Amino acid sequence: MEIQENEQTETTGRGGNKRAGGYNPKEIEQKWQEVWEQSGANHATDDDPRPKFYNLVMFPYPSGDLHIGHWYNFTGVDVYGRFMRMNGYNVMQPLGFDAFGLPAENAAIKRGVQARKWTLSNIENMRRQLKTMGGIWDWEREVATCLPDYYKWTEWFFLKLYEAGLAYRAKAPVNWCPNDQTVLANEQVLANGTCERCGAEVAKRDLEQWFFKITAYADRLLEFKDIEWPEKTVTMQRNWIGRSEGARVNFTAEGSDGTVHAVPVFTTRPDTIYGVTFFLLAPEHALVAQLTTPDKQAEVAAYVAKARGETEIERQSTDKAKTGVFIGSYVTNPITGGKIPIYITDYVLMGYGTGAVMGVPAHDQRDFEFARTFNLPVVLVYQPDDREINADEMTEALVHEGHVVNSGPFNGLPDNAETVKKFIDYIAEKGLGEAKVNYRLRDWLISRQRYWGAPIPMIYCPTDGLVPVPEEQLPVILPEEVEFKPTGESPLNYIPEFVNTTCPKCGGPARRETDTMDTFMCSSWYFLRYADPKNAAQPFDPELIKRWMPVDQYTGGPEHATMHLLYARFFTKALYDMGIVSFEEPFKRLFHQGMILSEGRKMSKSKGKTIAPDRLVSENGADAVRAFLMFLGPFEKGADWNDKTEQLLVGISRFLNRVWGLVNDYGKSSENNEITLATSVEPRLRRAQHKTIQRVVADYGSFQFNTVLSGLMEYSNSLQKLIEEAPAVQQGVAWDEAIDTLLILLAPLCPHITEELWQSKGHRSSVNEQPMPLFNPTLAADELVTIVVQINGKVRDRLDLPIGISEEEVKATVLFAPKIATAIGESIPRKVIYVPGKLVNIVL
RNA sequence: GGGCGUGUGGCGGAACGGCAGACGCAGUUGACUUAGGAUCAAAAAGAUGCAGGUUCGAAUCCUGCCAUGCCUACCA
């Protein structure tokens, strides 16, 4: 076939002019997508004999439009899944929708559309957009968490956790978003004290709520056994769980009426107990009222009110001065018997430890600042080994240094864990406390005063109290028509048909729980449902779970490190303990893709500047957009989107056009001949081919899709050069294989164009089902190596030498090379370093 | 305040401690052209944030600083 130049051209938008019979992505992409859909190419069957590979991506919230971040995320996942499929795995790559949650409800309130209809039509649209990507998504396994056949089992799992004693109800001060009119989990409150979703300032409220006992799993959640997760994520979870070892020490306080109260504290430094000079309570502490003397009541009440009114950010700001109020009474130090004044202060948090702290100003910076503010004594119980400190002259606390002083029998001990243990033993012996491990992690609050979520399947009966909905009555169906009133209660409260029910135990009239579950509950088990998405009798068939779980590769953003990823691990461990699943970790390998930013900032609808992938796809084709996104940089790094970003798409389009031209002009039916040509070009061809295989396969495996592409660009450029230089090579089998290799290696990134070219070349199978080519080091080996010659570390010459040359030969050759000989002159080399196959460094 | 990461041409980015800047974008020149914002071809450019150290040799390892990003933030 000749190169047909300058034929009549047609203009197709930004894609530019196309040769007649040229690359027309629109046409071929749609064609192949239909073919694949009809042949069921993307459906992973349960009985496939190949080893399974569960390739999972965090499912999206159906906000309505697929944005560029989704495209980026899903493309990378799909490329990897396709790559693994070509490595011989039965790849299961499902997709679904995390379909409960606030935006649907807000749309319902704002625009009067039904939350259900709004969500389902969004799903419809996103599914359509997703299909244009040409991914191997297994749509037969799609789940949507808002559908009764899914949330039936979310409710069922709630009952299981309840039966296992892991769900309980308690009154708790909770984060309340006045705008969304709902409770938020700690993780949903931003560091600045605002609501993660709407940005409103979060307040505190006391409410009866449902909790899951995730804290019971704290230690096991710290294990991370047999999983390959980014160290960063593991560290974040560790810090979030916040295990600290110390002691619980019982202090006693006398109330203004003479009653004695036990006031335990948690401390990691029981070894400083002789240095306690004051005692602190959180303003919310239950004993504050009883321990406040009458003369202090007004002052204390004012302080408590102020602390409660503070936002999280005000309260937790570390750089503000320490504040507090003396409440008039004292505790007794159980070790020294000394009387110590009690203060309340906002830097002591009710939610951590016991809400009470022993103040040791000499050895804790916060306590030190507090003591200086209130002129409280500072007593040193450690002194540095090399000098002596005077408490009055201290400007900051002395932390972890020196040896024990002023502490009776403990004096002289060094500052270490053993000493701490001696104090704990002593305290325990006297019955004043015990060793204690404390966690920063709190139980998971799952109640939401919202409509659009999975109902909590519980019933309140006047005679029988709290009664779980019997399994056979599941699902508790969410009504479709609701009225929204800004009351702070779930809208379900105002639907008598929903609320009023009969008690499963006594048959008498009873009320349903009207709160719904946190959507993180829905996402804590969706990956299990994919294994058996249509099962109406159980959440999944245990055999299918054994077949598919655990997830081999999980990909999603790092923002879920302490939320979804922690909850899903907890959930899996709880199911393991119930005997429902046989593994403790759901996600074997985790990868965080980077984020697509817009001019350095998070892309958000409110700030404009969103990029519509649909436009890019219709102008350039899905293959080009896929490759372009992956070419932006390493997948884990994400990219910044600015005016220049889209220019890179041009380069990818050119590359695809060149591949198209190369294969159409020089590719030929692979059924032709099997001649091996006696030319020197073929070994060069083989070398290029196998070097590329080695690079590209390794880079696919490590998510380095950007360098996969540059490797393939180099490869196709060198093929182009070779064929122009020696057109006869086209007659040989090596050329044919070289072209096949190009198409196979490019297929995961650009499945459509490669399929079209593959089959037009005469293959009857699909390129997407070819095995990844095997790297042959012999064929890749060069005949000559370039030896770099350095003098004192600076490059002076390069010599092409035969591959198997010995060290002596290299050194001899190098020393007599003209440039080198001149440079050395009369000097005698002190040292000659030889790195085999790479370089010689002559040290003068 | 703490933790983790990043810093390489005009831009996106490549480089097992060993030829810095692969690959691509933009720019330059030329060709084909009524035209070029299409295509093809050619050439060019710069010295790895700063200061030290280790090494025969450092973008790469170590220390300090500067800049920037993310996470976390009084957790006793």
Side-chain angles (χ1 to χ4, degrees), chain A residues 655 659 662-663 689 692 712-713 715-716 719 737-747 754:
Chain A
F655 166 63
V659 170
L662 182 69
V663 179
Q689 178 191 6
T692 306
L712 290 174
M713 285 172 176
Y715 181 51
S716 97
L719 290 185
E737 287 174 14
I739 294 286
D740 281 358
T741 296
L742 173 64
L743 294 177
I744 293 171
L745 290 178
L746 182 58
T754 49

mmCIF file with all atom_site columns, all heavy atoms in Angstrom, chain A residues 655 659 662-663 689 692 712-713 715-716 719 737-747 754:
data_model
loop_
_atom_site.group_PDB
_atom_site.id
_atom_site.type_symbol
_atom_site.label_atom_id
_atom_site.label_alt_id
_atom_site.label_comp_id
_atom_site.label_asym_id
_atom_site.label_entity_id
_atom_site.label_seq_id
_atom_site.pdbx_PDB_ins_code
_atom_site.Cartn_x
_atom_site.Cartn_y
_atom_site.Cartn_z
_atom_site.occupancy
_atom_site.B_iso_or_equiv
_atom_site.pdbx_formal_charge
_atom_site.auth_seq_id
_atom_site.auth_comp_id
_atom_site.auth_asym_id
_atom_site.auth_atom_id
_atom_site.pdbx_PDB_model_num
ATOM 1   N N   . PHE A 1 655 ? 0.069  10.986  18.017 1.00 0.00 ? 655 PHE A N   1
ATOM 2   C CA  . PHE A 1 655 ? 0.640  9.656   18.200 1.00 0.00 ? 655 PHE A CA  1
ATOM 3   C C   . PHE A 1 655 ? -0.321 8.581   17.688 1.00 0.00 ? 655 PHE A C   1
ATOM 4   O O   . PHE A 1 655 ? 0.072  7.683   16.932 1.00 0.00 ? 655 PHE A O   1
ATOM 5   C CB  . PHE A 1 655 ? 0.963  9.448   19.684 1.00 0.00 ? 655 PHE A CB  1
ATOM 6   C CG  . PHE A 1 655 ? 1.244  8.032   20.073 1.00 0.00 ? 655 PHE A CG  1
ATOM 7   C CD1 . PHE A 1 655 ? 2.331  7.345   19.541 1.00 0.00 ? 655 PHE A CD1 1
ATOM 8   C CD2 . PHE A 1 655 ? 0.413  7.366   20.977 1.00 0.00 ? 655 PHE A CD2 1
ATOM 9   C CE1 . PHE A 1 655 ? 2.592  6.031   19.900 1.00 0.00 ? 655 PHE A CE1 1
ATOM 10  C CE2 . PHE A 1 655 ? 0.666  6.048   21.332 1.00 0.00 ? 655 PHE A CE2 1
ATOM 11  C CZ  . PHE A 1 655 ? 1.757  5.374   20.796 1.00 0.00 ? 655 PHE A CZ  1
ATOM 12  N N   . VAL A 1 659 ? 0.234  5.862   14.699 1.00 0.00 ? 659 VAL A N   1
ATOM 13  C CA  . VAL A 1 659 ? 0.074  4.416   14.846 1.00 0.00 ? 659 VAL A CA  1
ATOM 14  C C   . VAL A 1 659 ? -0.894 3.907   13.779 1.00 0.00 ? 659 VAL A C   1
ATOM 15  O O   . VAL A 1 659 ? -0.656 2.892   13.122 1.00 0.00 ? 659 VAL A O   1
ATOM 16  C CB  . VAL A 1 659 ? -0.439 4.054   16.262 1.00 0.00 ? 659 VAL A CB  1
ATOM 17  C CG1 . VAL A 1 659 ? -0.825 2.587   16.340 1.00 0.00 ? 659 VAL A CG1 1
ATOM 18  C CG2 . VAL A 1 659 ? 0.630  4.373   17.299 1.00 0.00 ? 659 VAL A CG2 1
ATOM 19  N N   . LEU A 1 662 ? 0.904  3.956   10.482 1.00 0.00 ? 662 LEU A N   1
ATOM 20  C CA  . LEU A 1 662 ? 1.941  2.933   10.431 1.00 0.00 ? 662 LEU A CA  1
ATOM 21  C C   . LEU A 1 662 ? 1.347  1.559   10.148 1.00 0.00 ? 662 LEU A C   1
ATOM 22  O O   . LEU A 1 662 ? 1.815  0.827   9.276  1.00 0.00 ? 662 LEU A O   1
ATOM 23  C CB  . LEU A 1 662 ? 2.696  2.923   11.775 1.00 0.00 ? 662 LEU A CB  1
ATOM 24  C CG  . LEU A 1 662 ? 3.864  1.955   11.933 1.00 0.00 ? 662 LEU A CG  1
ATOM 25  C CD1 . LEU A 1 662 ? 5.032  2.381   11.048 1.00 0.00 ? 662 LEU A CD1 1
ATOM 26  C CD2 . LEU A 1 662 ? 4.304  1.892   13.396 1.00 0.00 ? 662 LEU A CD2 1
ATOM 27  N N   . VAL A 1 663 ? 0.303  1.232   10.888 1.00 0.00 ? 663 VAL A N   1
ATOM 28  C CA  . VAL A 1 663 ? -0.274 -0.101  10.736 1.00 0.00 ? 663 VAL A CA  1
ATOM 29  C C   . VAL A 1 663 ? -1.015 -0.222  9.408  1.00 0.00 ? 663 VAL A C   1
ATOM 30  O O   . VAL A 1 663 ? -0.905 -1.228  8.712  1.00 0.00 ? 663 VAL A O   1
ATOM 31  C CB  . VAL A 1 663 ? -1.199 -0.438  11.921 1.00 0.00 ? 663 VAL A CB  1
ATOM 32  C CG1 . VAL A 1 663 ? -1.810 -1.818  11.739 1.00 0.00 ? 663 VAL A CG1 1
ATOM 33  C CG2 . VAL A 1 663 ? -0.423 -0.363  13.225 1.00 0.00 ? 663 VAL A CG2 1
ATOM 34  N N   . GLN A 1 689 ? 11.777 -4.190  19.904 1.00 0.00 ? 689 GLN A N   1
ATOM 35  C CA  . GLN A 1 689 ? 10.541 -4.827  20.354 1.00 0.00 ? 689 GLN A CA  1
ATOM 36  C C   . GLN A 1 689 ? 10.688 -5.337  21.790 1.00 0.00 ? 689 GLN A C   1
ATOM 37  O O   . GLN A 1 689 ? 9.859  -5.050  22.648 1.00 0.00 ? 689 GLN A O   1
ATOM 38  C CB  . GLN A 1 689 ? 10.226 -5.989  19.410 1.00 0.00 ? 689 GLN A CB  1
ATOM 39  C CG  . GLN A 1 689 ? 8.994  -6.773  19.777 1.00 0.00 ? 689 GLN A CG  1
ATOM 40  C CD  . GLN A 1 689 ? 8.897  -8.080  18.962 1.00 0.00 ? 689 GLN A CD  1
ATOM 41  O OE1 . GLN A 1 689 ? 9.813  -8.440  18.207 1.00 0.00 ? 689 GLN A OE1 1
ATOM 42  N NE2 . GLN A 1 689 ? 7.791  -8.779  19.124 1.00 0.00 ? 689 GLN A NE2 1
ATOM 43  N N   . THR A 1 692 ? 11.203 -2.733  24.503 1.00 0.00 ? 692 THR A N   1
ATOM 44  C CA  . THR A 1 692 ? 9.931  -2.068  24.783 1.00 0.00 ? 692 THR A CA  1
ATOM 45  C C   . THR A 1 692 ? 9.041  -2.948  25.656 1.00 0.00 ? 692 THR A C   1
ATOM 46  O O   . THR A 1 692 ? 8.416  -2.467  26.601 1.00 0.00 ? 692 THR A O   1
ATOM 47  C CB  . THR A 1 692 ? 9.203  -1.725  23.462 1.00 0.00 ? 692 THR A CB  1
ATOM 48  O OG1 . THR A 1 692 ? 10.089 -0.968  22.642 1.00 0.00 ? 692 THR A OG1 1
ATOM 49  C CG2 . THR A 1 692 ? 7.946  -0.941  23.736 1.00 0.00 ? 692 THR A CG2 1
ATOM 50  N N   . LEU A 1 712 ? 6.056  3.551   24.328 1.00 0.00 ? 712 LEU A N   1
ATOM 51  C CA  . LEU A 1 712 ? 5.386  3.139   23.096 1.00 0.00 ? 712 LEU A CA  1
ATOM 52  C C   . LEU A 1 712 ? 5.568  4.171   21.980 1.00 0.00 ? 712 LEU A C   1
ATOM 53  O O   . LEU A 1 712 ? 5.634  3.826   20.810 1.00 0.00 ? 712 LEU A O   1
ATOM 54  C CB  . LEU A 1 712 ? 3.899  2.887   23.362 1.00 0.00 ? 712 LEU A CB  1
ATOM 55  C CG  . LEU A 1 712 ? 3.626  1.638   24.209 1.00 0.00 ? 712 LEU A CG  1
ATOM 56  C CD1 . LEU A 1 712 ? 2.155  1.515   24.551 1.00 0.00 ? 712 LEU A CD1 1
ATOM 57  C CD2 . LEU A 1 712 ? 4.112  0.376   23.497 1.00 0.00 ? 712 LEU A CD2 1
ATOM 58  N N   . MET A 1 713 ? 5.671  5.426   22.359 1.00 0.00 ? 713 MET A N   1
ATOM 59  C CA  . MET A 1 713 ? 5.936  6.462   21.355 1.00 0.00 ? 713 MET A CA  1
ATOM 60  C C   . MET A 1 713 ? 7.323  6.246   20.750 1.00 0.00 ? 713 MET A C   1
ATOM 61  O O   . MET A 1 713 ? 7.498  6.317   19.532 1.00 0.00 ? 713 MET A O   1
ATOM 62  C CB  . MET A 1 713 ? 5.864  7.850   22.002 1.00 0.00 ? 713 MET A CB  1
ATOM 63  C CG  . MET A 1 713 ? 4.454  8.304   22.303 1.00 0.00 ? 713 MET A CG  1
ATOM 64  S SD  . MET A 1 713 ? 4.487  9.828   23.264 1.00 0.00 ? 713 MET A SD  1
ATOM 65  C CE  . MET A 1 713 ? 2.731  10.174  23.367 1.00 0.00 ? 713 MET A CE  1
ATOM 66  N N   . TYR A 1 715 ? 8.918  3.510   20.635 1.00 0.00 ? 715 TYR A N   1
ATOM 67  C CA  . TYR A 1 715 ? 8.868  2.275   19.865 1.00 0.00 ? 715 TYR A CA  1
ATOM 68  C C   . TYR A 1 715 ? 8.251  2.516   18.488 1.00 0.00 ? 715 TYR A C   1
ATOM 69  O O   . TYR A 1 715 ? 8.796  2.108   17.466 1.00 0.00 ? 715 TYR A O   1
ATOM 70  C CB  . TYR A 1 715 ? 8.070  1.237   20.647 1.00 0.00 ? 715 TYR A CB  1
ATOM 71  C CG  . TYR A 1 715 ? 7.950  -0.107  19.977 1.00 0.00 ? 715 TYR A CG  1
ATOM 72  C CD1 . TYR A 1 715 ? 9.073  -0.780  19.496 1.00 0.00 ? 715 TYR A CD1 1
ATOM 73  C CD2 . TYR A 1 715 ? 6.708  -0.735  19.857 1.00 0.00 ? 715 TYR A CD2 1
ATOM 74  C CE1 . TYR A 1 715 ? 8.952  -2.026  18.904 1.00 0.00 ? 715 TYR A CE1 1
ATOM 75  C CE2 . TYR A 1 715 ? 6.576  -1.972  19.274 1.00 0.00 ? 715 TYR A CE2 1
ATOM 76  C CZ  . TYR A 1 715 ? 7.698  -2.623  18.784 1.00 0.00 ? 715 TYR A CZ  1
ATOM 77  O OH  . TYR A 1 715 ? 7.584  -3.854  18.198 1.00 0.00 ? 715 TYR A OH  1
ATOM 78  N N   . SER A 1 716 ? 7.140  3.200   18.455 1.00 0.00 ? 716 SER A N   1
ATOM 79  C CA  . SER A 1 716 ? 6.490  3.405   17.153 1.00 0.00 ? 716 SER A CA  1
ATOM 80  C C   . SER A 1 716 ? 7.331  4.328   16.277 1.00 0.00 ? 716 SER A C   1
ATOM 81  O O   . SER A 1 716 ? 7.398  4.157   15.068 1.00 0.00 ? 716 SER A O   1
ATOM 82  C CB  . SER A 1 716 ? 5.054  3.913   17.338 1.00 0.00 ? 716 SER A CB  1
ATOM 83  O OG  . SER A 1 716 ? 4.982  5.296   17.228 1.00 0.00 ? 716 SER A OG  1
ATOM 84  N N   . LEU A 1 719 ? 9.968  2.115   14.815 1.00 0.00 ? 719 LEU A N   1
ATOM 85  C CA  . LEU A 1 719 ? 9.409  1.268   13.752 1.00 0.00 ? 719 LEU A CA  1
ATOM 86  C C   . LEU A 1 719 ? 9.276  2.065   12.455 1.00 0.00 ? 719 LEU A C   1
ATOM 87  O O   . LEU A 1 719 ? 9.607  1.587   11.374 1.00 0.00 ? 719 LEU A O   1
ATOM 88  C CB  . LEU A 1 719 ? 8.041  0.710   14.166 1.00 0.00 ? 719 LEU A CB  1
ATOM 89  C CG  . LEU A 1 719 ? 8.005  -0.345  15.274 1.00 0.00 ? 719 LEU A CG  1
ATOM 90  C CD1 . LEU A 1 719 ? 6.584  -0.864  15.466 1.00 0.00 ? 719 LEU A CD1 1
ATOM 91  C CD2 . LEU A 1 719 ? 8.952  -1.498  14.975 1.00 0.00 ? 719 LEU A CD2 1
ATOM 92  N N   . GLU A 1 737 ? 5.348  -9.316  13.706 1.00 0.00 ? 737 GLU A N   1
ATOM 93  C CA  . GLU A 1 737 ? 5.270  -9.470  15.166 1.00 0.00 ? 737 GLU A CA  1
ATOM 94  C C   . GLU A 1 737 ? 5.520  -8.162  15.893 1.00 0.00 ? 737 GLU A C   1
ATOM 95  O O   . GLU A 1 737 ? 4.951  -7.893  16.952 1.00 0.00 ? 737 GLU A O   1
ATOM 96  C CB  . GLU A 1 737 ? 6.282  -10.523 15.630 1.00 0.00 ? 737 GLU A CB  1
ATOM 97  C CG  . GLU A 1 737 ? 5.838  -11.930 15.252 1.00 0.00 ? 737 GLU A CG  1
ATOM 98  C CD  . GLU A 1 737 ? 6.898  -12.975 15.562 1.00 0.00 ? 737 GLU A CD  1
ATOM 99  O OE1 . GLU A 1 737 ? 7.861  -12.666 16.295 1.00 0.00 ? 737 GLU A OE1 1
ATOM 100 O OE2 . GLU A 1 737 ? 6.763  -14.089 15.030 1.00 0.00 ? 737 GLU A OE2 1
ATOM 101 N N   . ALA A 1 738 ? 6.397  -7.360  15.296 1.00 0.00 ? 738 ALA A N   1
ATOM 102 C CA  . ALA A 1 738 ? 6.689  -6.072  15.925 1.00 0.00 ? 738 ALA A CA  1
ATOM 103 C C   . ALA A 1 738 ? 5.443  -5.187  15.957 1.00 0.00 ? 738 ALA A C   1
ATOM 104 O O   . ALA A 1 738 ? 5.172  -4.502  16.940 1.00 0.00 ? 738 ALA A O   1
ATOM 105 C CB  . ALA A 1 738 ? 7.830  -5.381  15.184 1.00 0.00 ? 738 ALA A CB  1
ATOM 106 N N   . ILE A 1 739 ? 4.691  -5.227  14.857 1.00 0.00 ? 739 ILE A N   1
ATOM 107 C CA  . ILE A 1 739 ? 3.452  -4.448  14.806 1.00 0.00 ? 739 ILE A CA  1
ATOM 108 C C   . ILE A 1 739 ? 2.426  -5.025  15.792 1.00 0.00 ? 739 ILE A C   1
ATOM 109 O O   . ILE A 1 739 ? 1.772  -4.288  16.542 1.00 0.00 ? 739 ILE A O   1
ATOM 110 C CB  . ILE A 1 739 ? 2.868  -4.456  13.372 1.00 0.00 ? 739 ILE A CB  1
ATOM 111 C CG1 . ILE A 1 739 ? 3.807  -3.716  12.409 1.00 0.00 ? 739 ILE A CG1 1
ATOM 112 C CG2 . ILE A 1 739 ? 1.473  -3.857  13.343 1.00 0.00 ? 739 ILE A CG2 1
ATOM 113 C CD1 . ILE A 1 739 ? 3.798  -2.210  12.559 1.00 0.00 ? 739 ILE A CD1 1
ATOM 114 N N   . ASP A 1 740 ? 2.313  -6.331  15.826 1.00 0.00 ? 740 ASP A N   1
ATOM 115 C CA  . ASP A 1 740 ? 1.394  -6.958  16.782 1.00 0.00 ? 740 ASP A CA  1
ATOM 116 C C   . ASP A 1 740 ? 1.726  -6.538  18.208 1.00 0.00 ? 740 ASP A C   1
ATOM 117 O O   . ASP A 1 740 ? 0.847  -6.219  19.015 1.00 0.00 ? 740 ASP A O   1
ATOM 118 C CB  . ASP A 1 740 ? 1.468  -8.487  16.660 1.00 0.00 ? 740 ASP A CB  1
ATOM 119 C CG  . ASP A 1 740 ? 0.660  -8.998  15.466 1.00 0.00 ? 740 ASP A CG  1
ATOM 120 O OD1 . ASP A 1 740 ? 0.024  -8.163  14.783 1.00 0.00 ? 740 ASP A OD1 1
ATOM 121 O OD2 . ASP A 1 740 ? 0.668  -10.220 15.223 1.00 0.00 ? 740 ASP A OD2 1
ATOM 122 N N   . THR A 1 741 ? 3.021  -6.556  18.503 1.00 0.00 ? 741 THR A N   1
ATOM 123 C CA  . THR A 1 741 ? 3.454  -6.174  19.849 1.00 0.00 ? 741 THR A CA  1
ATOM 124 C C   . THR A 1 741 ? 3.033  -4.748  20.178 1.00 0.00 ? 741 THR A C   1
ATOM 125 O O   . THR A 1 741 ? 2.556  -4.465  21.280 1.00 0.00 ? 741 THR A O   1
ATOM 126 C CB  . THR A 1 741 ? 4.989  -6.313  19.965 1.00 0.00 ? 741 THR A CB  1
ATOM 127 O OG1 . THR A 1 741 ? 5.321  -7.687  19.793 1.00 0.00 ? 741 THR A OG1 1
ATOM 128 C CG2 . THR A 1 741 ? 5.484  -5.837  21.317 1.00 0.00 ? 741 THR A CG2 1
ATOM 129 N N   . LEU A 1 742 ? 3.214  -3.852  19.214 1.00 0.00 ? 742 LEU A N   1
ATOM 130 C CA  . LEU A 1 742 ? 2.810  -2.461  19.433 1.00 0.00 ? 742 LEU A CA  1
ATOM 131 C C   . LEU A 1 742 ? 1.324  -2.390  19.804 1.00 0.00 ? 742 LEU A C   1
ATOM 132 O O   . LEU A 1 742 ? 0.936  -1.719  20.757 1.00 0.00 ? 742 LEU A O   1
ATOM 133 C CB  . LEU A 1 742 ? 3.078  -1.631  18.173 1.00 0.00 ? 742 LEU A CB  1
ATOM 134 C CG  . LEU A 1 742 ? 2.554  -0.191  18.173 1.00 0.00 ? 742 LEU A CG  1
ATOM 135 C CD1 . LEU A 1 742 ? 3.253  0.635   19.251 1.00 0.00 ? 742 LEU A CD1 1
ATOM 136 C CD2 . LEU A 1 742 ? 2.721  0.467   16.814 1.00 0.00 ? 742 LEU A CD2 1
ATOM 137 N N   . LEU A 1 743 ? 0.514  -3.111  19.050 1.00 0.00 ? 743 LEU A N   1
ATOM 138 C CA  . LEU A 1 743 ? -0.939 -3.050  19.284 1.00 0.00 ? 743 LEU A CA  1
ATOM 139 C C   . LEU A 1 743 ? -1.305 -3.676  20.633 1.00 0.00 ? 743 LEU A C   1
ATOM 140 O O   . LEU A 1 743 ? -2.123 -3.136  21.377 1.00 0.00 ? 743 LEU A O   1
ATOM 141 C CB  . LEU A 1 743 ? -1.678 -3.747  18.138 1.00 0.00 ? 743 LEU A CB  1
ATOM 142 C CG  . LEU A 1 743 ? -1.539 -3.043  16.783 1.00 0.00 ? 743 LEU A CG  1
ATOM 143 C CD1 . LEU A 1 743 ? -2.248 -3.839  15.690 1.00 0.00 ? 743 LEU A CD1 1
ATOM 144 C CD2 . LEU A 1 743 ? -2.090 -1.622  16.835 1.00 0.00 ? 743 LEU A CD2 1
ATOM 145 N N   . ILE A 1 744 ? -0.683 -4.798  20.935 1.00 0.00 ? 744 ILE A N   1
ATOM 146 C CA  . ILE A 1 744 ? -0.997 -5.456  22.202 1.00 0.00 ? 744 ILE A CA  1
ATOM 147 C C   . ILE A 1 744 ? -0.592 -4.584  23.387 1.00 0.00 ? 744 ILE A C   1
ATOM 148 O O   . ILE A 1 744 ? -1.351 -4.399  24.334 1.00 0.00 ? 744 ILE A O   1
ATOM 149 C CB  . ILE A 1 744 ? -0.295 -6.828  22.289 1.00 0.00 ? 744 ILE A CB  1
ATOM 150 C CG1 . ILE A 1 744 ? -0.883 -7.781  21.243 1.00 0.00 ? 744 ILE A CG1 1
ATOM 151 C CG2 . ILE A 1 744 ? -0.445 -7.420  23.686 1.00 0.00 ? 744 ILE A CG2 1
ATOM 152 C CD1 . ILE A 1 744 ? -0.101 -9.086  21.102 1.00 0.00 ? 744 ILE A CD1 1
ATOM 153 N N   . LEU A 1 745 ? 0.606  -4.012  23.293 1.00 0.00 ? 745 LEU A N   1
ATOM 154 C CA  . LEU A 1 745 ? 1.087  -3.205  24.422 1.00 0.00 ? 745 LEU A CA  1
ATOM 155 C C   . LEU A 1 745 ? 0.278  -1.931  24.601 1.00 0.00 ? 745 LEU A C   1
ATOM 156 O O   . LEU A 1 745 ? 0.166  -1.409  25.706 1.00 0.00 ? 745 LEU A O   1
ATOM 157 C CB  . LEU A 1 745 ? 2.568  -2.859  24.233 1.00 0.00 ? 745 LEU A CB  1
ATOM 158 C CG  . LEU A 1 745 ? 3.556  -4.012  24.370 1.00 0.00 ? 745 LEU A CG  1
ATOM 159 C CD1 . LEU A 1 745 ? 4.978  -3.524  24.104 1.00 0.00 ? 745 LEU A CD1 1
ATOM 160 C CD2 . LEU A 1 745 ? 3.478  -4.666  25.742 1.00 0.00 ? 745 LEU A CD2 1
ATOM 161 N N   . LEU A 1 746 ? -0.279 -1.434  23.527 1.00 0.00 ? 746 LEU A N   1
ATOM 162 C CA  . LEU A 1 746 ? -1.057 -0.204  23.623 1.00 0.00 ? 746 LEU A CA  1
ATOM 163 C C   . LEU A 1 746 ? -2.514 -0.472  24.027 1.00 0.00 ? 746 LEU A C   1
ATOM 164 O O   . LEU A 1 746 ? -3.217 0.436   24.479 1.00 0.00 ? 746 LEU A O   1
ATOM 165 C CB  . LEU A 1 746 ? -1.009 0.535   22.272 1.00 0.00 ? 746 LEU A CB  1
ATOM 166 C CG  . LEU A 1 746 ? -1.726 1.875   22.155 1.00 0.00 ? 746 LEU A CG  1
ATOM 167 C CD1 . LEU A 1 746 ? -1.196 2.878   23.177 1.00 0.00 ? 746 LEU A CD1 1
ATOM 168 C CD2 . LEU A 1 746 ? -1.601 2.453   20.743 1.00 0.00 ? 746 LEU A CD2 1
ATOM 169 N N   . ALA A 1 747 ? -2.930 -1.726  23.879 1.00 0.00 ? 747 ALA A N   1
ATOM 170 C CA  . ALA A 1 747 ? -4.350 -2.045  24.063 1.00 0.00 ? 747 ALA A CA  1
ATOM 171 C C   . ALA A 1 747 ? -4.939 -1.630  25.417 1.00 0.00 ? 747 ALA A C   1
ATOM 172 O O   . ALA A 1 747 ? -6.043 -1.095  25.459 1.00 0.00 ? 747 ALA A O   1
ATOM 173 C CB  . ALA A 1 747 ? -4.581 -3.533  23.803 1.00 0.00 ? 747 ALA A CB  1
ATOM 174 N N   . THR A 1 754 ? -6.698 -0.015  18.912 1.00 0.00 ? 754 THR A N   1
ATOM 175 C CA  . THR A 1 754 ? -5.874 -1.214  18.773 1.00 0.00 ? 754 THR A CA  1
ATOM 176 C C   . THR A 1 754 ? -6.720 -2.390  18.294 1.00 0.00 ? 754 THR A C   1
ATOM 177 O O   . THR A 1 754 ? -6.264 -3.195  17.485 1.00 0.00 ? 754 THR A O   1
ATOM 178 C CB  . THR A 1 754 ? -5.190 -1.558  20.113 1.00 0.00 ? 754 THR A CB  1
ATOM 179 O OG1 . THR A 1 754 ? -6.163 -1.537  21.156 1.00 0.00 ? 754 THR A OG1 1
ATOM 180 C CG2 . THR A 1 754 ? -4.085 -0.555  20.424 1.00 0.00 ? 754 THR A CG2 1
#
